Amino acid sequence: MKLDKTKRGWWESAVFYQIYPKSFQDTDGDGIGDLKGIISRLDYLEKLGIDGIWLSPVCQSPQVDNGYDISDYQDIYPVFGTMADMEELIRQAKDRGISIIMDLVLNHSSDQHPWFLEAKKGRDNPYHDYYVWRDGTQGKLPNDMGSVFGGPAWTYVPELGQYYFHQFAPQQPDLNWDNPRLRQELYQMIRFWVDKGVGGFRLDVIDQIAKVPDAFITANGPRLHEFLEELSREAFREDGLVTVGEAWSADVPRAQQFSSRDGKQLSMVFQFQHIGLDQQPGKPKWDTKPLHLPDLKTCMERWQLGLQEEGWNSLFLNNHDLPRIVSRWGDDGVYRVESAKMLATMLHGMQGTPYIYQGEELGMTNVRLELSQYRDLEIHNLYAERTAAGYDPETVMESIYARGRDNARTPMQWTPGDNAGFTTGTPWIPVNENHSFINAEAALADPDSVFHHYRRLIELRKTYEVFRKGKFRLLLPEDPNIFAYIRKTEKETLLVVCNFSNKEQAVDGISVPKNARCLLSNYADTAEALRPYEAKMYLW
Ligand code: GLC
C-alpha cells in the first residue's frame, strides 16, 4: 500500500528501514557497500513492505567515524558512488513508494571541511566563529569535559593559541549554532537535498547542537528549542517531510515538545531510555547488567502513554550504534528464530513509527572478532583506555562483544556463499560466519522465517487502524517473564502476549475472548502455556 506522502502525519502508518551503506551491498568489488548496491536491493525492500529508508551518511567524508564526519555536505563520498547514483536511488526508491531519509550531521563537521580549514587560519577568519573556541595554553585545558569516544573534548591548535570543542572525536569539531550565518548555511544545504527529492531527514545528536561548554552543558542547551523551531521553519517547509531527531537525553516531556503535533520542531525523536536498562546505573554502556523485564515494561508504558495525546513515538531496538537485539534480549542460539520474532512482535504492536535496522529482519546476531579486526574507533579507544587503567583485557573484550558498535556493522548477509553475497572482494570488516544459515536467500524461501514475520507485522500495521490509534494498556506489570499489553480503539482490540524467557510460562490473569482471532504467532499451534519466547497477537 502506497501512502500519500504530501500530508503531515503520513509516517504514523509507515515503517522505516535503516541502511548502513558501508555494510549493505557492494557492487564494484572494493569490499565496501555502495549506492548501486542499495539500488540493486530495492526489490527486496519492497517485498518487505517498508515506506522509507533512513540512509546513514553518504556525503563526502574522511570516514574517521564512518561518514558521521562530513567534509562536504553537498557531495557524495566517491567510494559510495556519484551524485547521479544518489539521484537514481531517490528516483528508483520513489517508484516503489519508498522515501529516502537522509542523515543530517549538524552538530559537527569533519576537521577536513573547508569551513574548519579556514577557521584554523586565524581568529579573524570569517569561518572561525563557525566552531567553538576557547583561549588557553597547551596542556591547560579550558575545562575537564570528556569526549564521547574517550579523551578530552578539547583539542589545541598552537597557531591560534586556542582550543576547539568536540563532543566526539578530535576530527569532528563541534559547529557553533550561536552563529546565525552558520545556521543559514546549514538550512541552504538542507534545501539542496529537499530539491533533490529526499523524503525527510534523520538528525544526528540533535539535542546536542545548543551546547554550552563553559557550563558543562552538552544536551538540551538553553537555546535548543529556539534553534529547532528556526530549523524547521526555514528548512523543513513542506508538510510531507518527515524528521526524526536522535536525542539520547530525551525524557517524555522533552519528547512531547520535540515532536509536538503542531509540527513546529520534528516529526519524532529517537529516545534511548529503554536502551540503557541493561547497563549499570551511572556507568558507561560497557558496564552491563541483565535486563529486568518489569523495568522494560514500565519504560515502554511510560512512552506509550506519554506520547499518546501529544507527540509521536519512534519504535526501535536496533541501529548502527547498538548491539543486535536478538543477542541482547533474545537468544541467539537455540531459540534465535523464535526470540527474534517475539521481540519484533512486542515492538511492532505499539504506537509509533517502527524502524528496522538492516539484518534485523533476518535475525542477524552479534559477532566476536579479534581486536585487530574491529574497525570502530570507539572500540579501540575503549580497549586502550581500560587496559591502561588496569582492567583485565578479557573483561574489556567481553564488554566489546556485548556492546561494541561493530556488532551492527558486519556486512548484510544475503547468501550462504562467499562473503555472504555482500562483495566479491575483501569486506572492510569480516562477515559473520553464521551467514551459512542466516541469510536473506534462505529467509525469502522459508515462509516461517524471521523476514516473513516482519513482512506480516508491516502488513498488519497497514491493515488495522488499532496499530496506529489504539490506546495502550499494560497487563501483568510485575510479571518477570511475560510482556503483555492491549491496544484499543472503539472498534478494535489488539492483545499482544510475549514470553521473554527460554522456559514455558503459565499465563494467569489474561483471558482471550471466544471471538478473538489470532493475527500472528511464532509457533505453528496454540498450547495452554506460553512456550519459550512464544509471542501471540490477537484481535477482536
Ligand atoms: C550519533 C551517530 C553515531 C556517531 C555520533 C557522532 O550518535 O549515530 O554513529 O558516531 O552520532 O556523529
Side-chain angles (χ1 to χ4, degrees), residues 376-421:
D376 185 13
L377 81 165
E378 187 186 54
I379 288 177
H380 291 284
N381 289 350
L382 175 87
Y383 189 86
E385 271 186 14
R386 289 214 159 173
T387 48
Y391 281 73
D392 139 50
E394 272 167 37
T395 312
V396 184
M397 287 312 290
E398 285 304 325
S399 292
I400 292 170
Y401 299 147
R403 289 291 184 275
R405 302 194 298 179
D406 281 342
N407 280 309
R409 300 175 181 185
T410 61
M412 178 72 178
Q413 295 167 203
W414 296 106
T415 72
D418 285 350
N419 292 324

Side-chain angles (χ1 to χ4, degrees), residues 43-88:
D43 287 343
Y44 169 84
L45 297 174
E46 190 179 16
K47 215 166 275 166
L48 184 57
I50 52 119
D51 306 284
I53 295 171
W54 152 24
L55 198 58
S56 276
V58 293
C59 292
Q60 183 63 275
S61 158
Q63 303 285 320
V64 169
D65 188 20
N66 287 348
Y68 285 92
D69 48 320
I70 294 177
S71 55
D72 186 343
Y73 289 91
Q74 287 171 221
D75 203 359
I76 300 293
Y77 174 51
V79 177
F80 289 166
T82 61
M83 191 57 87
D85 294 335
M86 184 66 186
E87 286 162 358
E88 183 65 11

Side-chain angles (χ1 to χ4, degrees), residues 284-319:
K285 68 176 180 185
W286 310 104
D287 301 305
T288 61
K289 71 171 176 93
L291 175 72
H292 178 53
L293 186 63
D295 293 347
L296 178 63
K297 294 193 277 188
T298 325
C299 178
M300 299 305 270
E301 177 191 38
R302 181 168 68 247
W303 283 92
Q304 287 290 294
L305 299 180
L307 269 57
Q308 207 156 258
E309 304 301 333
E310 180 62 339
W312 186 252
N313 269 305
S314 71
L315 303 171
F316 72 98
L317 297 171
N318 278 286
N319 68 28

Side-chain angles (χ1 to χ4, degrees), residues 1-110:
M1 189 183 76
K2 289 192 185 174
L3 302 169
D4 173 4
K5 295 183 174 170
T6 57
K7 295 202 184 65
R8 188 187 301 158
W10 64 265
W11 46 85
E12 296 182 3
S13 325
V15 178
F16 292 140
Y17 186 93
Q18 183 190 353
I19 289 183
Y20 198 66
K22 207 167 179 174
S23 304
F24 193 63
Q25 176 70 67
D26 179 27
T27 56
D28 59 5
D30 64 1
I32 298 175
D34 46 47
L35 295 174
K36 285 206 168 80
I38 300 174
I39 296 173
S40 75
R41 295 298 183 180
L42 286 172
D43 287 343
Y44 169 84
L45 297 174
E46 190 179 16
K47 215 166 275 166
L48 184 57
I50 52 119
D51 306 284
I53 295 171
W54 152 24
L55 198 58
S56 276
V58 293
C59 292
Q60 183 63 275
S61 158
Q63 303 285 320
V64 169
D65 188 20
N66 287 348
Y68 285 92
D69 48 320
I70 294 177
S71 55
D72 186 343
Y73 289 91
Q74 287 171 221
D75 203 359
I76 300 293
Y77 174 51
V79 177
F80 289 166
T82 61
M83 191 57 87
D85 294 335
M86 184 66 186
E87 286 162 358
E88 183 65 11
L89 171 61
I90 295 171
R91 199 181 60 72
Q92 288 216 26
K94 205 176 238 164
D95 286 348
R96 292 169 172 83
I98 297 174
S99 307
I100 299 294
I101 316 295
M102 290 269 294
D103 210 317
L104 281 178
V105 187
L106 304 178
N107 176 68
H108 46 269
S109 73
S110 159

Side-chain angles (χ1 to χ4, degrees), residues 325-327 329-337 339-340 343 502 533:
I325 200 62
V326 71
S327 301
W329 292 347
D331 172 349
D332 60 11
V334 190
Y335 295 112
R336 185 185 64 86
V337 170
S339 64
L343 289 160
N502 60 4
Y533 296 105

Side-chain angles (χ1 to χ4, degrees), residues 333-530:
V334 190
Y335 295 112
R336 185 185 64 86
V337 170
E338 287 81 0
S339 64
K341 291 179 183 174
M342 182 280 287
L343 289 160
T345 309
M346 178 278 287
L347 192 72
H348 284 244
M350 294 195 181
Q351 186 177 50
T353 304
Y355 289 76
I356 301 166
Y357 178 69
Q358 65 184 43
E360 178 185 338
E361 79 283 12
L362 305 176
M364 274 178 63
T365 67
N366 279 354
V367 70
R368 279 172 175 247
L369 301 175
E370 303 284 324
L371 182 65
S372 64
Q373 293 176 309
Y374 286 106
R375 299 286 171 258
D376 185 13
L377 81 165
E378 187 186 54
I379 288 177
H380 291 284
N381 289 350
L382 175 87
Y383 189 86
E385 271 186 14
R386 289 214 159 173
T387 48
Y391 281 73
D392 139 50
E394 272 167 37
T395 312
V396 184
M397 287 312 290
E398 285 304 325
S399 292
I400 292 170
Y401 299 147
R403 289 291 184 275
R405 302 194 298 179
D406 281 342
N407 280 309
R409 300 175 181 185
T410 61
M412 178 72 178
Q413 295 167 203
W414 296 106
T415 72
D418 285 350
N419 292 324
F422 164 68
T423 180
T424 54
T426 307
W428 70 279
I429 186 170
V431 175
N432 196 322
E433 280 170 13
N434 62 21
H435 72 273
S436 57
F437 62 98
I438 306 177
N439 61 73
E441 195 178 288
L444 285 168
D446 171 8
D448 288 329
S449 66
V450 180
F451 176 91
H452 287 294
H453 193 85
Y454 270 87
R455 190 180 54 69
R456 282 182 207 113
L457 283 167
I458 297 172
E459 210 171 82
L460 288 173
R461 177 164 291 267
K462 298 189 184 291
T463 309
Y464 300 102
E465 205 179 58
V466 68
F467 283 84
R468 183 160 61 92
K469 287 198 169 156
K471 299 263 183 267
F472 180 90
R473 185 158 61 88
L474 182 66
L475 306 174
L476 313 176
E478 307 296 334
D479 192 295
N481 300 303
I482 294 172
F483 195 151
Y485 60 87
I486 294 256
R487 301 278 315 282
K488 199 170 168 41
T489 62
E490 274 174 19
K491 286 194 303 211
E492 292 166 341
T493 304
L494 175 76
L495 168 67
V496 179
V497 190
C498 297
N499 179 0
F500 263 69
S501 80
N502 60 4
K503 301 203 173 48
E504 201 167 279
Q505 302 291 341
V507 194
D508 298 319
I510 298 180
S511 56
V512 182
K514 284 245 157 17
N515 60 340
R517 278 191 300 136
C518 182
L519 286 182
L520 191 70
S521 163
N522 58 354
Y523 277 74
D525 54 359
T526 301
E528 260 310 291
L530 280 182

Side-chain angles (χ1 to χ4, degrees), residues 179-189 230 234:
N179 181 327
R181 273 205 309 130
L182 176 263
R183 300 205 300 275
Q184 285 304 326
E185 196 132 20
L186 293 174
Y187 306 153
Q188 274 170 33
M189 173 277 286
E230 187 186 270
E234 305 250 342

